[in-house]
Amino acid sequence: MKILHTADIHLGITTYGRVDPATGLNSRLQDFRRSFTFLVEQALAEDVDLFLFCGDAFRNPDPSPTEQMIFAECLQPLVERGIPLVLLVGNHDHPVTFGRASSIDIFRYLEGQARVFRRPEVATIQTKSGPLQLIALPWPVRSLLLTRREYRQKSAAEVREVIEQLYTEYVQKAVERLDPSLPTILAGHFSVQGAELSGSERTSLIAYEPKFTVGQLALPPIDYVALGHIHRHQNLNPDGIPVVYSSSIERVSFREAEDPKGFVLVEIQTQGSRKQTQYRFVETPARRFVDVQVDARDSDDPTERILNAIGRVAVADAIVRVRYQVNEDQVARIDLRRIREALQAAAHIAGIERTVEPVVREQRTIVERDSSLREALTRYIDQHEQLHPLREQLIEAALALEARLEAERLS
């Protein structure tokens, strides 16, 4: 049985984009659609049995009609092929107001077999290769818990502990009811201890979320744990049942410049009572982010130093940012026109940022007319840090010289 596992599409992020005059759409919206379309084409080429989406379809719970249309258009070829769709509600999908639909609830009305999971549930999904058992654990919503009287007075930390306990107990009870002979996936949208965050994710926010251990999730007869929420692809249990974050399909900031983006193809093979799980990561044609950093402070021609740095990287069709450092007296020698010309092939220039190292000017030593030699020399040494270790020797030598000169004058 083959499953395509993806998450964190975040359709609607338009940072570093521009309006395409041919379509009227933001260029970044087109980037996300290109990667999404590539993902679906791979699902069709691999003839997968299930499309599994583990949360965060859009950038927020109120996507525009255009964004919803693009998402539906991308899914349509899977529906036409008869491939079942499983979609989990993520934290970006969940409505802020109680009682409102999530941003992906509408997709349960697609023709064909589409399931949207807003709450924990154990389900059996029928595929062309047979039944698949699914433990669905969408984003744990605090507001649902707080509607119960016994939890209303608890602190945020206590509520988080309750959610962790409830989810853990739910998985433990669920696995007891499963048929160990059938392919089984646990799908979730949350944080797992030990996961390496993507550059765009804020550690401060992750720290206050419910967080689970690998041991609480990777329980037999589960064959594969499919996760969303953290944007970096990784397997947190390489020596056991795979516990895998699929990655997001597009970069959203320069902190993700070096992160590969893509999705996961999973295959669960069943031979008698034995099951074996294999998976592979597939990169999407995500837009490249190129961050050019140059220290030109020691260069006689700082512009040329910057241009050489740009020439060493592939800026064509990339979102590019140039950050250079110069001294204060070099600022006038920077030719921004030539730098922008060197970036003409970029899809977007995110910025040309300058850091200026100020020129260190030595402060003049002010000596008053009635200052003694000791006072004048002390003030001079205080303003020259390199002389501090020699303070006493210099003062003693100067006073000795002064005394000798005065003695010679009187003799």
Side-chain angles (χ1 to χ4, degrees), residues 169 207 393:
E169 292 176 352
Q393 298 95 311

Side-chain angles (χ1 to χ4, degrees), residues 44 61 99 124 160 227 254 293 328 343 410:
L44 298 174
T124 300
R160 182 188 66 210
L227 298 173
F254 281 93
Q293 300 185 46
E328 188 175 346
L343 298 174
L410 297 175

Side-chain angles (χ1 to χ4, degrees), residues 181-216:
S181 67
L182 295 179
T184 304
I185 287 182
L186 183 151
H189 188 93
F190 42 69
S191 298
V192 176
Q193 292 181 20
E196 186 177 356
L197 302 184
S198 175
S200 64
E201 292 158 332
R202 294 172 57 184
T203 308
S204 58
L205 294 181
I206 298 288
Y208 291 99
E209 298 173 355
K211 189 175 292 186
F212 304 92
T213 67
V214 167
Q216 291 169 335

Side-chain angles (χ1 to χ4, degrees), residues 302-332:
T303 297
E304 200 62 36
R305 173 74 64 84
I306 296 167
L307 294 176
N308 288 339
I310 293 172
R312 287 193 294 269
V313 296
V315 300
D317 295 323
I319 294 171
V320 183
R321 179 176 65 186
V322 176
R323 294 185 290 177
Y324 65 90
Q325 189 172 8
V326 291
N327 292 321
E328 188 175 346
D329 58 358
Q330 294 175 301
V331 171

Side-chain angles (χ1 to χ4, degrees), residues 54-111:
C54 292
D56 282 1
F58 302 100
R59 64 174 173 170
N60 59 43
D62 296 303
S64 70
T66 299
E67 292 159 6
Q68 287 188 313
M69 179 189 70
I70 291 173
F71 200 92
E73 287 178 345
C74 289
L75 291 177
Q76 186 60 30
L78 299 172
V79 174
E80 293 173 353
R81 179 72 69 87
I83 296 172
L85 311 179
V86 168
L87 299 93
L88 270 62
V89 173
N91 56 306
H92 284 265
D93 305 314
H94 202 278
V96 177
T97 305
F98 179 75
R100 293 182 60 186
S102 79
S103 63
I104 63 172
D105 280 343
I106 190 173
F107 298 113
R108 71 178 65 192
Y109 299 105
L110 287 170
E111 293 183 5

Side-chain angles (χ1 to χ4, degrees), residues 129-271:
S129 296
L132 169 74
Q133 296 176 132
L134 175 74
I135 302 175
L137 298 176
W139 173 252
V141 181
R142 294 171 182 266
S143 60
L144 295 178
L145 191 64
L146 295 176
T147 59
R148 298 170 61 174
R149 182 177 303 172
E150 64 266 36
Y151 298 128
R152 290 177 186 171
Q153 302 304 317
K154 291 185 178 294
S155 66
E158 290 172 331
V159 170
R160 182 188 66 210
E161 292 175 359
V162 170
I163 291 174
E164 292 171 348
Q165 180 181 353
L166 291 174
Y167 263 48
T168 299
E169 292 176 352
Y170 187 89
V171 174
Q172 292 171 344
K173 293 177 181 179
V175 296
E176 295 174 358
R177 307 196 307 268
L178 296 174
D179 183 344
S181 67
L182 295 179
T184 304
I185 287 182
L186 183 151
H189 188 93
F190 42 69
S191 298
V192 176
Q193 292 181 20
E196 186 177 356
L197 302 184
S198 175
S200 64
E201 292 158 332
R202 294 172 57 184
T203 308
S204 58
L205 294 181
I206 298 288
Y208 291 99
E209 298 173 355
K211 189 175 292 186
F212 304 92
T213 67
V214 167
Q216 291 169 335
L217 305 174
L219 300 176
I222 295 170
D223 300 297
Y224 180 82
V225 178
L227 298 173
H229 187 47
I230 291 176
H231 295 178
R232 177 167 289 176
H233 169 63
Q234 56 199 296
N235 178 9
L236 299 175
N237 194 30
D239 297 322
I241 298 168
V243 178
V244 178
Y245 281 101
S246 64
S247 166
S248 51
I249 67 170
E250 267 287 338
R251 297 177 182 90
V252 299
S253 78
F254 281 93
R255 286 175 291 182
E256 293 185 347
E258 302 301 323
D259 292 352
K261 295 297 173 181
F263 56 92
V264 179
L265 287 170
V266 186
E267 186 169 1
I268 303 174
Q269 298 176 340
T270 304
Q271 297 177 341

Side-chain angles (χ1 to χ4, degrees), residues 293-304:
Q293 300 185 46
V294 188
D295 186 347
R297 288 175 297 176
D298 62 347
S299 175
D300 294 331
D301 190 342
T303 297
E304 200 62 36

